[in-house]
Amino acid sequence: MRNVSKGHVEEFILVGFPTSTSLQLLLFVFFLAIYLLTLLENALIISTIWLTSSLHRPMYFFLGHLSFLELWYINVTIPRLLGAFLTQDGRIAFVGCMAQLYFFIALACTECVLLAVMAYDRYLAICEPLRYPTLMPPSLATRLAAASWGSGFFSSMMKLLFISRLSYCGPNIINHFFCDISPLLNLTCSDKEQAELVDFLLALVMILLPLVAVVLSYAAIIAAILKIPTAQGRHKAFSTCTSHLTVVVIYYSSTLFTYARPRAMYTFNHNKIISVLYTVIVPFLNPAIYCLRNKEVKDAFRKMLLGKCHYPRNVPD
């Protein structure tokens, strides 16, 4: 096996999507278009929130962090896939693979926690509207965002400590379009039970616990909304949550399907398709979901395009 010396793999070969040349070209154009549009969408959201004083509130503060996270997310996976389409060469060095895996896990875990934080913010805004400014001051929002990033990167570091210490003796072919946990665990020639256990336990903590927080928050939100006497009031209250709830359903369903398993998966073709959903499609859809369903963001974005970037500060939610 090439680039395997003294029982250690020096590089991996990412299979990607091996198809005919014409289909490869179509996939390249598709992923490139999605990549550029996602960059533009998230950059516009970050700019709109940054330049609009009326959006300087926790809800949009967290949304800005989510958009920044997704900008980073797609830059971890898509550029290498596009390069593989052009050169037909999916080689990645061992160190590069570990670095890609580290950032991918860190960002995925951060997003799970950040979505839970956003659900908690909506819970306070709807269930405790009068005390919301006191319960969610800017200082707390900053600490919650920092905790989301810190927990994600710490969890990733713990996973990588166990995965990178395993021996990889060959073959070095990864049936995926980026370095992911399960394909790597299937290539190791050493005992992987400890690494699998750590991966599973951290997945429970970083995926299921935030999901439980989201479910509890929305259970309280729905109970509060049902107590509103008018249909118009109920619709107005729930409309502030629908965009976030849509993103949560799409992201967690694809993530749980792929990662909430204690053992490494041995067939990957269907998992590659699911991976496209949460690494490519979700970051592309999220900005559109938030903008299309949020009047404030749409109005601020429209005013920013027209060059009117000075607005009066609105009353907090």
Side-chain angles (χ1 to χ4, degrees):
M1 177 70 61
R2 188 174 177 177
N3 283 310
V4 179
S5 60
K6 298 181 179 180
H8 180 70
V9 171
E10 296 177 358
E11 69 174 21
F12 294 103
I13 299 176
L14 298 170
V15 173
F17 295 94
T19 57
S20 62
T21 303
S22 58
L23 187 54
Q24 289 265 338
L25 180 59
L26 288 176
L27 288 174
F28 172 79
V29 173
F30 170 75
F31 284 117
L32 178 62
I34 293 292
Y35 176 63
L36 295 177
L37 287 173
T38 305
L39 288 177
L40 178 62
E41 288 174 336
N42 284 289
L44 286 175
I45 282 188
I46 294 171
S47 301
T48 301
I49 293 173
W50 179 265
L51 295 173
T52 308
S53 60
S54 63
L55 299 183
H56 293 174
R57 296 178 305 191
M59 174 182 176
Y60 300 107
F61 174 73
F62 295 134
L63 177 57
H65 275 268
L66 182 64
S67 292
F68 177 74
L69 183 149
E70 287 171 344
L71 279 177
W72 200 352
Y73 213 148
I74 61 171
N75 279 297
V76 170
T77 55
I78 299 183
R80 183 167 293 277
L81 177 61
L82 293 174
F85 281 134
L86 289 177
T87 64
Q88 302 297 310
D89 186 356
R91 289 185 176 86
I92 181 172
F94 180 85
V95 174
C97 185
M98 292 298 116
Q100 185 184 57
L101 179 64
Y102 172 74
F103 285 111
F104 175 77
I105 297 173
L107 295 172
C109 292
T110 299
E111 184 159 359
C112 287
V113 179
L114 188 59
L115 289 174
V117 168
M118 295 173 75
Y120 175 67
D121 173 71
R122 290 299 84 205
Y123 158 75
L124 292 180
I126 292 175
C127 299
E128 301 286 348
L130 298 179
R131 298 199 299 153
Y132 177 77
T134 303
L135 295 174
M136 184 59 73
S139 58
L140 178 58
T142 301
R143 289 196 297 270
L144 288 174
S148 300
W149 287 93
S151 60
F153 278 78
F154 177 76
S155 173
S156 180
M157 180 180 66
M158 295 303 297
K159 287 191 179 188
L160 201 69
L161 283 176
F162 287 88
I163 294 174
S164 62
R165 289 163 55 188
L166 298 174
S167 298
Y168 299 91
C169 310
N172 62 343
I173 298 175
I174 299 177
N175 186 18
H176 216 304
F177 61 92
F178 66 92
C179 290
D180 204 356
I181 295 175
S182 294
L184 277 172
L185 289 180
N186 271 348
L187 294 182
T188 183
C189 52
S190 56
D191 186 6
K192 60 187 176 184
E193 289 186 4
Q194 191 177 36
E196 286 182 330
L197 178 61
V198 170
D199 176 43
F200 178 64
L201 293 177
L202 286 175
L204 289 178
V205 174
M206 299 305 297
I207 297 177
L208 291 186
L209 286 185
L211 181 58
V212 169
V214 170
V215 171
L216 292 177
S217 295
Y218 274 103
I221 288 171
I222 293 172
I225 290 176
L226 292 177
K227 294 178 182 179
I228 298 175
T230 64
Q232 183 180 2
R234 290 194 295 270
H235 179 268
K236 182 179 179 180
F238 192 70
S239 64
T240 64
C241 304
T242 51
S243 57
H244 175 259
L245 187 58
T246 302
V247 170
V248 165
V249 170
I250 295 174
Y251 183 80
Y252 273 105
S253 58
S254 58
T255 302
L256 285 172
F257 180 85
T258 305
Y259 289 108
R261 303 179 185 184
R263 303 184 70 243
M265 295 168 288
Y266 292 91
T267 58
F268 297 103
N269 288 328
H270 67 289
N271 290 319
K272 282 194 290 186
I273 304 301
I274 298 298
S275 296
V276 169
L277 178 62
Y278 65 83
T279 60
V280 180
I281 304 301
V282 169
F284 170 71
L285 290 179
N286 283 358
I289 292 172
Y290 275 106
C291 288
L292 291 176
R293 300 197 63 89
N294 191 299
K295 186 176 184 299
E296 281 188 290
V297 174
K298 286 191 293 185
D299 290 344
F301 176 63
R302 189 180 301 113
K303 291 178 181 178
M304 189 184 73
L305 289 182
L306 294 174
K308 301 176 182 178
C309 298
H310 303 285
Y311 320 105
R313 184 179 295 274
N314 289 353
V315 178
D317 290 340

